Amino acid sequence: MSETHAQTVSFVRDTMLPPTPPPMGERGAVKWMRENLFSTPLNVALTLLGLLSIYALISAALPWWLNSVWVAESLSECREIVAASAGEGATGACWAMIRERWHQFLFGFYPPAEWWRPILALGLLLAALAPVLFAGQKRNLTVVLGAVAIYLLVTLSLAATPGTAFGLAMVLILGMLGLAQVQPGKLLWFTVLYPALCFWLLWGGSIWSPIVAMAGFGVLYAVFRLASPFIGLAPAAGAGVVAAVLWWLYIDIPVVNALQIAMPFGLQSINSDQFGGFLLAIVIGVTGITFSLPIGILLALGRQSDMLIVKTLSVGFIEFVRGVPLITLLFTASLLLQYFLPPGTNFDIILRVIILVTFFAAAYLAEVIRGGLAALPRGQYEAADALGLDYWRAQRLIILPQALKVSIPAIVSTFIGLFKDTTLVAFVGLMDPLKGVTQIVRADIDWKGIYWEPYIFVGAIFFIICFGMSRYSMYLEQKLKTDHR
Amino acid sequence: MADAAKMQITDEIAIQITSMNKWYGQFHVLRDINITVQRGERIVICGPSGSGKSTLIRCINRLEEHQQGQIIVDGTELTNDLKNIDKVRSEVGMVFQHFNLFPHLTILENLTLAPIWVRKVPKKEAEETAMYFLKKVKIPEQANKYPGQLSGGQQQRVAIARSLCMKPRIMLFDEPTSALDPEMIKEVLDTMIQLAEEGMTMLCVTHEMGFAQAVANRVIFMDQGQIVEQNEPKEFFSNPKSDRTKLFLSQILGH
């Protein structure tokens, strides 16, 4: 039949029809609204209901925001101002409290004259993170370091920084900015040294203690290099660790004291109980995040290991830590840990909390990373083996880059969880921004009864930081996407 | 190409497998395997699925562990000694059915990774070698793409080039064309034939009987974990001895 058809009807198009726009009702906002908001009677009803509830929410909350008071001495003064301007019975936010007490939310009881130190530490933290987060990307590095330079210039001058410190900080950050243009890879050295610098800036004391403590790592490396030709890599690493621990236990303090006498230089010591607010949350959160990732990776690999002892220890650690609430661990940190340590050792409470928060996050991360490892096809392991790569090289070059890439969303979720969990340190008497500082503010006779404002303020800052982490993880996923499926 | 079969075979022994046995749990997968491979020999291993042919060549670079008998590769015996295993693996190249390229690295990085980290070749030199082998498999223009952007046939040729970059003395092929479209099989086989003509010692598990006839010196037929028959390709195809071989050949050549 088709043959006859082909012969009887012959049609050849000689001009192609030009494309025409779709009809009015089928494009743009009209189409979108018709399809998404008003497609069925039920949808129309739900849309109207939704609009009504949004209106109810806004009309209830808007006056409170619009009547905000920014300058007042106390909550009662706030209320008087609101009553005077918006009439009796009107509500209004009292942001004057934030204006008066912002420093406690940020620094806790850190002495005002030394505020420049956490400010500088935060700026340098961003500068130290940039080479890790944007490895080798000159443009992003320049933007971050430039922003840090401007931030430091403004905040340090506002915080009445001593001239020398201000000058040194600017020289440092501008030097890094310059280095980023020439050899961005070298910036990682600053990242390596930053923990010691940060520790010294925040807690103060002799400049020699961070230097001598860092020298412990030098001892570790030197022993490792000297011993490895004779006793093999793993025993040499063990010997290095032992030497470094001995260094920190027995040599560290006398050397610091001697150097301090010979060349006295230091910052005023600040006690851990003066830390509070976001300073505390960020110190715990950032340290926890930094150290939990490598520990989590090792635990995940340990759990997959063929070696019985390594495997048992990893599984035991992960299951125990995951099975216990974080608060239990924090109580352990604040109370029990002292019993297990030699009498007389004064083990800093923030340090103890950091260690347990790190372990807690590491156990979660280990499971997240194990998921990533399990997602890799067996062929990847076999190909790495067949090329003659040994275990650690195969892990580092082939397996982990892929496993970590798969687990980025879950890893960042764990990090965000960790950061928000830092507020739980309130339970061991540390001054976290949410409960600790807010309670102090609300205990003040001037601000008694203030309720929404501190929580909104703290919540907003937490949101900005966590949202930033989430956006970065999305950027990273996009950047590492190479499968082109 | 026809005379490829009688090229450079030497008396030197490349692989010696003596009464080797392997079990998966209770299941006896390889039974009393004895094979001697001379340097320069090209051996095709065929047989029905589940006959243990993949397992056999995976034992040669210790991706699978054998429980009894002896495997000596290039004078190194495969035991639990990790040093020996790594030594053998760096001398023996392997090409997999599913290519197993590293998806997070570019083609060039895939090729240079092992030479740089295992052989300690300087990066620049490794890249030159990589480009040389990419030209040889006829895809130098893909060097900076990622594996996911290449077709199956191209990926398999990259995988062959990746093995060659380690300058192996022996190449193992584990069904290299089984996951490919018919059009792409030819380009991979051409690469393998070229390699055979250059005198590489090759062990190849494949169902490509045309390839076996063209380049192999010897065809090994396996069934149920045992070597049933081995012979020169001409003799093997025209005059199979065992009934099992006859049945197999009639099934794969029958249509």
Side-chain angles (χ1 to χ4, degrees):
Chain A
M1 195 191 95
S2 62
E3 280 167 22
T4 49
H5 191 78
Q7 279 159 4
T8 49
V9 183
S10 81
F11 171 80
V12 177
R13 187 185 288 286
D14 50 11
T15 52
M16 302 305 278
L17 294 174
T20 52
M24 262 313 271
E26 286 299 321
R27 58 184 154 138
V30 179
K31 175 177 149 73
W32 184 87
M33 276 171 43
R34 226 179 48 190
E35 281 183 356
N36 293 295
L37 299 180
F38 303 106
S39 58
T40 61
L42 179 66
N43 255 2
V44 174
L46 288 175
T47 305
L48 290 178
L49 200 66
L51 287 175
L52 271 176
S53 14
I54 293 173
Y55 171 77
L57 274 175
I58 290 182
S59 63
L62 199 62
W64 186 80
W65 288 92
L66 288 179
N67 296 338
S68 293
V69 176
W70 288 91
V71 186
E73 292 291 311
S74 66
L75 186 61
S76 48
E77 196 187 332
C78 266
R79 286 184 178 149
E80 279 163 25
I81 297 174
V82 171
S85 65
E88 208 58 49
T91 57
C94 187
W95 302 114
M97 183 277 295
I98 305 293
R99 201 186 157 91
E100 291 280 310
R101 295 300 193 92
W102 61 272
H103 50 85
Q104 277 184 333
F105 285 101
L106 297 191
F107 303 119
F109 288 121
Y110 212 86
E114 308 291 328
W115 282 349
W116 62 272
R117 282 156 55 178
I119 289 174
L120 179 58
L122 176 67
L124 294 181
L125 169 70
L126 300 176
L129 284 179
V132 180
L133 299 185
F134 303 103
Q137 291 170 298
K138 209 185 268 180
R139 205 177 128 259
N140 284 341
L141 274 177
T142 313
V143 171
V144 174
L145 291 175
V148 170
I150 295 168
Y151 156 84
L152 286 181
L153 193 66
V154 175
T155 50
L156 286 182
S157 40
L158 286 176
T161 311
T164 339
F166 187 83
L168 282 175
M170 290 324 284
V171 167
L172 178 63
I173 191 71
L174 292 178
M176 287 180 71
L177 201 52
L179 193 60
Q181 312 307 316
V182 204
Q183 282 179 307
K186 291 266 192 295
L187 283 176
L188 274 174
W189 283 107
F190 178 73
T191 312
V192 172
L193 296 177
Y194 175 76
L197 179 62
C198 170
F199 173 81
W200 179 64
L201 273 176
L202 291 181
W203 274 273
S206 160
I207 179 122
W208 299 108
S209 38
I211 294 177
V212 177
M214 282 305 251
F217 290 104
V219 169
L220 197 164
Y221 183 70
V223 170
F224 171 71
R225 280 307 292 269
L226 288 176
S228 56
F230 304 109
I231 55 175
L233 290 182
V241 170
V242 170
V245 169
L246 290 176
W247 172 273
W248 286 318
L249 279 182
Y250 296 109
I251 305 179
D252 195 316
I253 293 165
V255 171
V256 170
N257 289 341
L259 282 168
Q260 184 64 11
I261 290 164
M263 280 175 283
F265 184 71
L267 289 169
Q268 182 196 332
S269 278
I270 310 285
N271 256 332
S272 280
D273 53 12
Q274 287 170 292
F275 282 57
F278 279 97
L279 169 60
L280 183 68
I282 291 176
V283 165
I284 298 175
V286 171
T287 328
I289 286 172
T290 318
F291 290 104
S292 62
L293 185 60
I295 298 176
I297 291 174
L298 288 179
L299 283 172
L301 293 179
R303 190 167 192 162
Q304 294 210 319
S305 166
D306 298 331
M307 286 180 275
L308 187 67
I309 295 178
V310 174
K311 190 183 165 117
T312 317
L313 285 177
S314 305
V315 173
F317 181 90
I318 292 168
E319 295 303 340
F320 171 73
V321 173
R322 281 204 315 167
V324 172
L326 177 57
I327 295 181
T328 317
L329 292 179
L330 290 176
F331 279 131
T332 315
S334 75
L335 304 168
L336 289 177
L337 219 55
Q338 282 299 39
Y339 294 119
F340 296 116
L341 293 168
T345 34
N346 185 20
F347 201 18
D348 189 275
I349 176 74
I350 294 186
L351 191 60
R352 278 182 273 159
V353 164
I354 284 177
I355 290 175
L356 285 176
V357 166
T358 305
F359 283 167
F360 188 74
Y364 276 87
L365 281 175
E367 288 298 278
V368 162
I369 294 165
R370 190 167 69 96
L373 290 171
L376 281 197
R378 225 171 93 87
Q380 293 291 311
Y381 293 89
E382 290 178 352
D385 283 346
L387 285 170
L389 292 164
D390 61 30
Y391 177 80
W392 289 108
R393 289 207 185 105
Q395 292 297 340
R396 188 161 67 83
L397 299 167
I398 310 294
I399 308 301
L400 283 177
Q402 296 185 63
L404 292 178
K405 189 176 90 179
V406 182
S407 341
I408 288 174
I411 291 177
V412 174
S413 285
T414 313
F415 283 168
I416 289 177
L418 184 159
F419 183 60
K420 292 190 296 187
D421 281 351
T422 57
T423 50
L424 292 176
V425 300
F427 288 98
V428 292
L430 289 173
M431 232 187 318
D432 79 297
L434 195 65
K435 185 163 182 287
V437 175
T438 306
Q439 230 165 25
I440 289 167
V441 169
R442 277 155 43 94
D444 187 328
I445 194 79
D446 284 343
W447 304 109
K448 201 167 167 60
I450 201 159
Y451 190 73
W452 288 98
E453 292 85 345
Y455 293 121
I456 290 175
F457 177 67
V458 172
I461 296 183
F462 266 113
F463 176 79
I464 289 169
I465 296 174
C466 294
F467 186 65
M469 286 198 246
S470 151
R471 297 308 293 191
Y472 176 76
S473 90
M474 287 167 81
Y475 154 84
L476 200 60
E477 271 176 74
Q478 201 56 44
K479 194 185 103 176
L480 296 179
K481 197 173 169 207
T482 56
D483 50 0
H484 305 279
R485 261 177 229 144
Chain B
M1 198 158 69
D3 56 9
K6 46 181 186 297
M7 281 188 325
Q8 322 97 328
I9 301 174
T10 63
D11 289 340
E12 199 184 336
I13 291 175
I15 302 170
Q16 170 103 49
I17 301 176
T18 331
S19 37
M20 187 260 276
N21 280 280
K22 174 170 176 60
W23 290 264
Y24 283 134
Q26 288 295 308
F27 180 56
H28 200 170
V29 258
L30 292 177
R31 309 180 193 174
D32 194 34
I33 305 287
N34 288 287
I35 301 175
T36 307
V37 182
Q38 316 286 351
R39 183 159 312 292
E41 247 193 314
R42 292 167 301 281
I43 294 177
V44 164
I45 303 171
C46 59
S49 63
S51 60
K53 48 197 193 311
S54 283
T55 312
L56 170 61
I57 70 164
R58 289 157 62 87
C59 279
I60 294 173
N61 67 352
R62 196 75 170 188
L63 288 183
E64 304 280 354
E65 205 174 308
H66 61 280
Q67 279 100 26
Q68 225 174 58
Q70 206 179 28
I71 301 178
I72 299 175
V73 183
D74 250 345
T76 311
E77 188 182 350
L78 282 171
T79 54
N80 278 327
D81 186 346
L82 287 176
K83 271 212 179 94
N84 281 356
I85 295 176
D86 282 338
K87 183 160 173 253
V88 166
R89 282 176 177 166
S90 62
E91 299 296 334
V92 178
M94 178 136 188
V95 176
F96 299 88
Q97 180 177 0
H98 296 290
F99 332 133
N100 296 349
L101 295 177
F102 306 129
H104 62 303
L105 301 175
T106 63
I107 301 303
L108 193 63
E109 286 164 343
N110 263 281
L111 265 62
T112 53
L113 183 118
I116 290 175
W117 290 97
V118 180
R119 288 250 191 274
K120 313 282 180 205
V121 175
K123 189 170 179 229
K124 197 146 176 284
E125 199 185 317
E127 281 177 355
E128 280 163 13
T129 317
M131 287 314 292
Y132 169 78
F133 283 113
L134 277 183
K135 282 195 191 101
K136 206 161 165 180
V137 299
K138 303 194 178 65
I139 34 176
E141 71 283 358
Q142 314 283 9
N144 291 313
K145 289 194 184 164
Y146 287 94
Q149 292 166 292
L150 269 55
S151 74
Q154 289 174 326
Q155 290 195 40
Q156 192 60 296
R157 283 185 282 155
V158 170
I160 294 175
R162 178 175 71 179
S163 296
L164 292 178
C165 281
M166 286 294 280
K167 309 267 172 71
R169 293 158 67 95
I170 299 165
M171 284 284 283
L172 308 174
F173 293 85
D174 187 4
E175 307 204 26
T177 54
S178 303
L180 296 176
D181 292 341
E183 290 175 70
M184 295 170 181
I185 291 180
K186 188 175 175 302
E187 61 187 52
V188 171
L189 286 182
D190 284 347
T191 309
M192 289 166 62
I193 290 171
Q194 193 191 352
L195 204 57
E197 284 168 356
E198 287 165 14
M200 176 67 80
T201 311
M202 291 164 69
L203 267 84
C204 185
V205 173
T206 184
H207 294 121
E208 296 297 326
M209 290 305 134
F211 173 77
Q213 273 165 331
V215 302
N217 318 98
R218 202 172 359 143
V219 180
I220 294 178
F221 175 71
M222 289 183 70
D223 190 26
Q224 296 179 11
Q226 304 164 61
I227 296 179
V228 176
E229 185 166 346
Q230 53 176 318
N231 214 331
E232 286 184 356
K234 213 182 227 172
E235 199 52 23
F236 179 84
F237 288 110
S238 60
N239 190 13
K241 300 282 184 294
S242 96
D243 292 341
R244 187 67 192 87
T245 318
K246 282 176 196 160
L247 180 66
F248 176 76
L249 286 176
S250 73
Q251 273 166 349
I252 67 163
L253 300 173
H255 49 89

